[in-house]
Amino acid sequence: MAAAQGKAKAVPVNNAFIPRKARPSTPAKGEWVASTCQGCTQWCAIQLFVQGGRAVRVRGNEISKSNHGYVCPRGHLIPQQTYDPDRVKVPLKRTNPAKGRGIDPKFVPISWDEAITIVADKMIELRNAGEPEKLCYMRGRYSPTAQELLYGTLPKIFGTGQYFSHSAICAEAEKMGPGLTQGFYGYRDYDLEKTNCLVIWGCDPLASNRQVPNTIHRFHEIVARGSVIAVDPRLSNSAAKAHEWLPLKPGTDGALAGAIAHVILTEGLWNREFVGDFKDGKNLFVAGAMVAEDAFAEKETSGLVKWWNLELKDRTPAFGEKESLIPAAQIVRVARAMGKAAPKCAVWMGPGAAMMPRGTYAAMAVYALNGLVGSIDAEGGVWEGAPGAPLAKFPSTEKFIDEVAKKGSKTGKKLDGRGTKDMPAMMGSAVNNVPNNMLKDPGAVKVLLASWNNFNFSCTGADRWDKAMAKVPFFAHMVTNPSEMTQFADIVLPSTFNSSEGWSIITNGSNGYSYASIQQNPIKRIFDAKQEETEVVWLLAQKLKAKGFRNLADYYDEIKDPETGKSATTELEFSEFAAKFTSAPIWMAKEAPKGDAQI
């Protein structure tokens, strides 16, 4: 029996389950270097872990009271974006004169000197012809301070009024809500630490929009102690975790907001300390009934009864259900939850509520709910952005603007048509209207400069942009990666990825704190890229100076190293000096700036 069994066969072993002696870990050799994320307009203070000249890891700055030492996925992706093999690696020149969607530009690599010379020559032609206004600049993402040297300086000194920001397709309609109701045109802050009812409307701050790390940090606390309400056609991250999800019909935000306001008023749920009350104490807000304006004594609001008479008296929950497809019972339930939590009720409005035709009205209606519950600048409510950090302003451009520039800046109407009957934009720009007017007047733009944008993809009606861009005689695109818009470029200038390769000083605020944060270049650049906001404009200014137009270069010479008093002699020096110039009041202050901590 034993002999029959023979020799035992070897059994395959999964080595993963064999216990091994633990080896002592070796600390990674490298250095954490402060910088700033540019993944959204929160501009979180971060730190890059740099090893051998490479950024390999990202974390939130440990002393940040805004992000609590964390970053969202956009921050963690900085190394991948920095070392993306599909980035534009060297300057490129178009060799195919034909332009259009799907047409191969047949780009060929050229040197930076050749590229800048070509751009400068095209600009000098406009100056010599007395038509500097036919230069146009359009920006996408930017840094708040360094961009001032491009967007806020180059067009004015050169002599054109045609410069436009991407903001109109980003947040300007959203900002018009508080701008035209509260008088605060900007990004809002939120006291999430003490909010008892958070209404997330048209955005998803757990995954996108702004203040993502801070929202993640506080969200579970709000869920535990109060109510989270998400208004979004999409089942977002926030909606999936909310107590109430209102998947409204797209474009009906204003109607839904009006129905909620109607309930708040008819049920007497408004915040009397902020809004005021009827003089005799009796609630006269009855569905369908007009109210005498002098019957109500307002405190911090203006025109509430007029709003009721013109709009809200007929915006019943039944009306809200018909328009938005949200059940009337849920509208009532949500309004009551908001009124119960007031004033610790924050309506966080995002672009989804406003980025549509007549979106300004929707933004006003949604944001006005904050006024009804008294959450404006209240504990647990909505705050204006914190005051900025004490930075130095760049010098005035006034003395560098010659007569040609003055005339050019006043010549012609703005290509976005702002302020006209067809485009009554009262704040900011209307960049998506630019191609319409370029097509109406093909000669209006002869030289186009653009940076960090892709309007041929990101704007609605992209075919209009394709047709307009195909007619532009000369277009230089400053970008990190090629795109649909780049396809129309004559010159492509590779931009740095500024969170890891550029210099700037960022100022912002969130969670009740103001902060200044640095962007710097602690790594070895592996592509032949230059920062569009500082390095490229400095090189361009030097080339224009050599060709007879020195005003821009003379202005940049005013921005000196605050330690030595010297002007820059290279583009890299200029980039660094500009960051030192604006931040000097902090690190060269006679007295330590007030605040919790300082890097």
Side-chain angles (χ1 to χ4, degrees), residues 266-289:
T266 56
E267 296 198 1
L269 301 174
W270 71 87
N271 183 267
R272 285 160 174 76
E273 288 74 19
F274 185 84
V275 179
D277 201 357
F278 286 99
K279 293 177 181 178
D280 63 2
K282 182 181 178 181
N283 185 5
L284 300 180
F285 291 127
V286 178

Side-chain angles (χ1 to χ4, degrees), residues 165-174 185 355 427-432:
S165 174
H166 80 296
S167 302
I169 63 167
C170 175
E172 286 194 359
E174 166 202 333
Y185 180 73
M355 300 300 288
M427 301 175 182
S429 64
V431 70
N432 203 19

